[in-house]
Short mmCIF file of all heavy atoms in Angstrom, two decimals:
data_model
loop_
_atom_site.label_atom_id
_atom_site.label_comp_id
_atom_site.label_asym_id
_atom_site.label_seq_id
_atom_site.Cartn_x
_atom_site.Cartn_y
_atom_site.Cartn_z
N LEU A 31 3.89 54.95 -21.26
CA LEU A 31 4.45 54.17 -20.15
C LEU A 31 5.88 53.75 -20.47
O LEU A 31 6.76 53.80 -19.60
CB LEU A 31 3.59 52.94 -19.86
CG LEU A 31 2.29 53.20 -19.13
CD1 LEU A 31 1.38 51.97 -19.20
CD2 LEU A 31 2.55 53.60 -17.68
N ILE A 32 6.13 53.36 -21.70
CA ILE A 32 7.49 52.96 -22.09
C ILE A 32 8.44 54.15 -21.98
O ILE A 32 9.57 54.01 -21.51
CB ILE A 32 7.49 52.34 -23.50
CG1 ILE A 32 6.80 50.97 -23.46
CG2 ILE A 32 8.93 52.22 -24.04
CD1 ILE A 32 6.54 50.35 -24.82
N MET A 33 7.97 55.35 -22.39
CA MET A 33 8.83 56.53 -22.26
C MET A 33 9.16 56.82 -20.80
O MET A 33 10.25 57.31 -20.49
CB MET A 33 8.14 57.75 -22.87
CG MET A 33 8.22 57.79 -24.36
SD MET A 33 7.64 59.37 -25.03
CE MET A 33 5.88 59.16 -24.93
N ALA A 34 8.24 56.51 -19.89
CA ALA A 34 8.46 56.76 -18.47
C ALA A 34 9.23 55.64 -17.78
O ALA A 34 9.73 55.81 -16.67
CB ALA A 34 7.11 56.96 -17.76
N SER A 35 9.35 54.51 -18.42
CA SER A 35 9.94 53.31 -17.81
C SER A 35 11.46 53.37 -17.75
O SER A 35 12.09 54.31 -18.24
CB SER A 35 9.52 52.07 -18.61
OG SER A 35 10.26 51.97 -19.82
N SER A 36 12.04 52.33 -17.20
CA SER A 36 13.50 52.23 -17.12
C SER A 36 14.11 51.83 -18.46
O SER A 36 15.31 51.65 -18.56
CB SER A 36 13.90 51.24 -16.03
OG SER A 36 13.43 49.95 -16.35
N ASN A 37 13.29 51.75 -19.48
CA ASN A 37 13.76 51.43 -20.82
C ASN A 37 14.75 52.47 -21.35
O ASN A 37 15.49 52.21 -22.28
CB ASN A 37 12.56 51.32 -21.77
CG ASN A 37 12.93 50.81 -23.14
OD1 ASN A 37 13.58 49.79 -23.27
ND2 ASN A 37 12.53 51.54 -24.16
N PHE A 38 14.79 53.65 -20.74
CA PHE A 38 15.68 54.73 -21.17
C PHE A 38 17.15 54.32 -21.12
O PHE A 38 17.99 54.94 -21.76
CB PHE A 38 15.47 55.99 -20.31
CG PHE A 38 16.05 55.85 -18.94
CD1 PHE A 38 17.36 56.18 -18.69
CD2 PHE A 38 15.28 55.36 -17.90
CE1 PHE A 38 17.90 56.04 -17.42
CE2 PHE A 38 15.80 55.22 -16.64
CZ PHE A 38 17.12 55.55 -16.40
N LYS A 39 17.48 53.29 -20.36
CA LYS A 39 18.88 52.90 -20.18
C LYS A 39 19.55 52.52 -21.49
O LYS A 39 20.76 52.58 -21.60
CB LYS A 39 18.98 51.76 -19.18
CG LYS A 39 18.56 52.18 -17.78
CD LYS A 39 18.54 51.02 -16.83
CE LYS A 39 18.00 51.45 -15.48
NZ LYS A 39 17.85 50.35 -14.56
N THR A 40 18.76 52.15 -22.49
CA THR A 40 19.32 51.76 -23.78
C THR A 40 19.39 52.95 -24.74
O THR A 40 19.84 52.79 -25.87
CB THR A 40 18.47 50.65 -24.43
OG1 THR A 40 17.15 51.16 -24.67
CG2 THR A 40 18.40 49.42 -23.54
N LEU A 41 18.96 54.13 -24.30
CA LEU A 41 18.88 55.29 -25.18
C LEU A 41 20.07 56.23 -24.99
O LEU A 41 20.62 56.34 -23.91
CB LEU A 41 17.60 56.07 -24.88
CG LEU A 41 16.28 55.30 -24.96
CD1 LEU A 41 15.13 56.21 -24.57
CD2 LEU A 41 16.07 54.70 -26.33
N ASN A 42 20.42 56.92 -26.07
CA ASN A 42 21.46 57.94 -25.96
C ASN A 42 20.84 59.24 -25.42
O ASN A 42 19.62 59.34 -25.27
CB ASN A 42 22.18 58.14 -27.30
CG ASN A 42 21.27 58.71 -28.39
OD1 ASN A 42 20.43 59.57 -28.14
ND2 ASN A 42 21.45 58.22 -29.62
N ASP A 43 21.68 60.22 -25.13
CA ASP A 43 21.20 61.46 -24.52
C ASP A 43 20.15 62.17 -25.37
O ASP A 43 19.16 62.69 -24.84
CB ASP A 43 22.37 62.41 -24.25
CG ASP A 43 23.21 61.98 -23.06
OD1 ASP A 43 22.77 61.08 -22.31
OD2 ASP A 43 24.29 62.55 -22.88
N GLU A 44 20.34 62.20 -26.67
CA GLU A 44 19.37 62.88 -27.54
C GLU A 44 18.01 62.18 -27.49
O GLU A 44 16.98 62.85 -27.44
CB GLU A 44 19.91 62.91 -28.98
CG GLU A 44 19.02 63.69 -29.94
CD GLU A 44 19.60 63.76 -31.34
OE1 GLU A 44 20.83 63.90 -31.47
OE2 GLU A 44 18.81 63.67 -32.29
N GLN A 45 18.02 60.86 -27.47
CA GLN A 45 16.77 60.12 -27.39
C GLN A 45 16.08 60.34 -26.04
O GLN A 45 14.86 60.46 -25.98
CB GLN A 45 17.02 58.63 -27.61
CG GLN A 45 17.44 58.30 -29.03
CD GLN A 45 17.96 56.87 -29.16
OE1 GLN A 45 18.74 56.40 -28.32
NE2 GLN A 45 17.53 56.19 -30.21
N VAL A 46 16.85 60.42 -24.97
CA VAL A 46 16.28 60.70 -23.65
C VAL A 46 15.64 62.08 -23.65
O VAL A 46 14.53 62.26 -23.13
CB VAL A 46 17.34 60.57 -22.53
CG1 VAL A 46 16.82 61.12 -21.21
CG2 VAL A 46 17.78 59.12 -22.37
N GLU A 47 16.31 63.06 -24.24
CA GLU A 47 15.74 64.40 -24.32
C GLU A 47 14.43 64.40 -25.10
O GLU A 47 13.47 65.07 -24.73
CB GLU A 47 16.76 65.37 -24.92
CG GLU A 47 17.90 65.69 -23.99
CD GLU A 47 19.00 66.53 -24.64
OE1 GLU A 47 18.91 66.82 -25.85
OE2 GLU A 47 19.94 66.88 -23.92
N ASP A 48 14.39 63.62 -26.19
CA ASP A 48 13.15 63.50 -26.97
C ASP A 48 12.04 62.87 -26.12
O ASP A 48 10.89 63.31 -26.16
CB ASP A 48 13.38 62.66 -28.23
CG ASP A 48 14.22 63.36 -29.28
OD1 ASP A 48 14.38 64.61 -29.20
OD2 ASP A 48 14.72 62.67 -30.19
N HIS A 49 12.40 61.83 -25.35
CA HIS A 49 11.43 61.19 -24.46
C HIS A 49 10.86 62.20 -23.47
O HIS A 49 9.66 62.25 -23.25
CB HIS A 49 12.09 60.04 -23.69
CG HIS A 49 11.99 58.71 -24.33
ND1 HIS A 49 12.27 58.48 -25.65
CD2 HIS A 49 11.63 57.52 -23.82
CE1 HIS A 49 12.10 57.21 -25.92
NE2 HIS A 49 11.70 56.60 -24.82
N LEU A 50 11.74 62.97 -22.87
CA LEU A 50 11.30 63.95 -21.88
C LEU A 50 10.36 64.98 -22.49
O LEU A 50 9.34 65.34 -21.89
CB LEU A 50 12.51 64.65 -21.26
CG LEU A 50 13.20 63.89 -20.15
CD1 LEU A 50 14.53 64.54 -19.82
CD2 LEU A 50 12.33 63.82 -18.92
N GLU A 51 10.69 65.44 -23.68
CA GLU A 51 9.85 66.43 -24.34
C GLU A 51 8.46 65.86 -24.61
O GLU A 51 7.45 66.51 -24.35
CB GLU A 51 10.52 66.87 -25.65
CG GLU A 51 9.82 68.02 -26.32
CD GLU A 51 10.59 68.49 -27.54
OE1 GLU A 51 11.81 68.67 -27.46
OE2 GLU A 51 9.92 68.69 -28.58
N GLU A 52 8.39 64.64 -25.10
CA GLU A 52 7.10 64.01 -25.36
C GLU A 52 6.38 63.67 -24.07
O GLU A 52 5.17 63.85 -23.96
CB GLU A 52 7.30 62.74 -26.19
CG GLU A 52 7.58 62.99 -27.65
CD GLU A 52 7.56 61.70 -28.44
OE1 GLU A 52 6.52 61.00 -28.43
OE2 GLU A 52 8.58 61.40 -29.07
N LEU A 53 7.12 63.16 -23.12
CA LEU A 53 6.53 62.72 -21.86
C LEU A 53 5.86 63.86 -21.12
O LEU A 53 4.82 63.67 -20.48
CB LEU A 53 7.60 62.06 -20.99
CG LEU A 53 7.14 61.42 -19.70
CD1 LEU A 53 6.13 60.32 -19.97
CD2 LEU A 53 8.34 60.86 -18.94
N GLU A 54 6.42 65.04 -21.21
CA GLU A 54 5.87 66.18 -20.48
C GLU A 54 4.39 66.40 -20.81
O GLU A 54 3.58 66.60 -19.92
CB GLU A 54 6.68 67.44 -20.78
CG GLU A 54 6.30 68.60 -19.91
CD GLU A 54 7.27 69.76 -20.04
OE1 GLU A 54 8.08 69.79 -20.99
OE2 GLU A 54 7.21 70.64 -19.17
N GLY A 55 4.03 66.34 -22.07
CA GLY A 55 2.62 66.51 -22.45
C GLY A 55 1.84 65.21 -22.42
O GLY A 55 0.70 65.17 -21.95
N ASP A 56 2.46 64.15 -22.90
CA ASP A 56 1.75 62.88 -23.02
C ASP A 56 1.33 62.30 -21.67
O ASP A 56 0.25 61.71 -21.56
CB ASP A 56 2.59 61.85 -23.78
CG ASP A 56 2.72 62.18 -25.27
OD1 ASP A 56 2.09 63.17 -25.72
OD2 ASP A 56 3.45 61.46 -25.97
N ALA A 57 2.15 62.45 -20.65
CA ALA A 57 1.80 61.91 -19.34
C ALA A 57 0.54 62.58 -18.81
O ALA A 57 -0.32 61.93 -18.21
CB ALA A 57 2.95 62.09 -18.35
N HIS A 58 0.42 63.87 -19.04
CA HIS A 58 -0.77 64.58 -18.57
C HIS A 58 -2.00 64.19 -19.38
O HIS A 58 -3.11 64.19 -18.85
CB HIS A 58 -0.53 66.09 -18.60
CG HIS A 58 0.50 66.51 -17.61
ND1 HIS A 58 0.27 66.51 -16.25
CD2 HIS A 58 1.78 66.90 -17.77
CE1 HIS A 58 1.36 66.89 -15.62
NE2 HIS A 58 2.30 67.13 -16.51
N SER A 59 -1.81 63.83 -20.63
CA SER A 59 -2.94 63.44 -21.47
C SER A 59 -3.30 61.97 -21.29
O SER A 59 -4.46 61.64 -21.02
CB SER A 59 -2.60 63.67 -22.95
OG SER A 59 -2.37 65.03 -23.20
N PHE A 60 -2.33 61.09 -21.44
CA PHE A 60 -2.63 59.66 -21.52
C PHE A 60 -2.64 58.95 -20.17
O PHE A 60 -3.06 57.80 -20.08
CB PHE A 60 -1.68 58.96 -22.49
CG PHE A 60 -1.79 59.54 -23.88
CD1 PHE A 60 -0.73 60.21 -24.45
CD2 PHE A 60 -2.98 59.45 -24.58
CE1 PHE A 60 -0.84 60.77 -25.72
CE2 PHE A 60 -3.10 60.00 -25.85
CZ PHE A 60 -2.03 60.66 -26.42
N PHE A 61 -2.19 59.62 -19.09
CA PHE A 61 -2.30 59.06 -17.74
C PHE A 61 -3.46 59.68 -16.98
O PHE A 61 -3.67 59.39 -15.81
CB PHE A 61 -1.01 59.27 -16.94
CG PHE A 61 0.21 58.56 -17.49
CD1 PHE A 61 1.47 58.89 -17.05
CD2 PHE A 61 0.10 57.54 -18.43
CE1 PHE A 61 2.61 58.24 -17.52
CE2 PHE A 61 1.23 56.90 -18.92
CZ PHE A 61 2.48 57.25 -18.47
N ASP A 62 -4.22 60.52 -17.65
CA ASP A 62 -5.35 61.18 -17.02
C ASP A 62 -6.51 60.20 -16.84
O ASP A 62 -6.78 59.36 -17.71
CB ASP A 62 -5.82 62.35 -17.89
CG ASP A 62 -6.89 63.16 -17.23
OD1 ASP A 62 -6.56 63.90 -16.28
OD2 ASP A 62 -8.06 63.03 -17.62
#
Side-chain angles (χ1 to χ4, degrees):
L31 285 166
I32 290 171
M33 282 189 281
S35 76
S36 63
N37 187 52
F38 74 88
K39 294 175 185 175
T40 63
L41 305 177
N42 65 39
D43 285 348
E44 185 177 321
Q45 292 168 316
V46 169
E47 288 174 356
D48 289 344
H49 268 48
L50 279 168
E51 188 175 313
E52 284 188 58
L53 186 60
E54 189 170 14
D56 289 356
H58 293 288
S59 298
F60 301 114
F61 295 165
D62 186 73

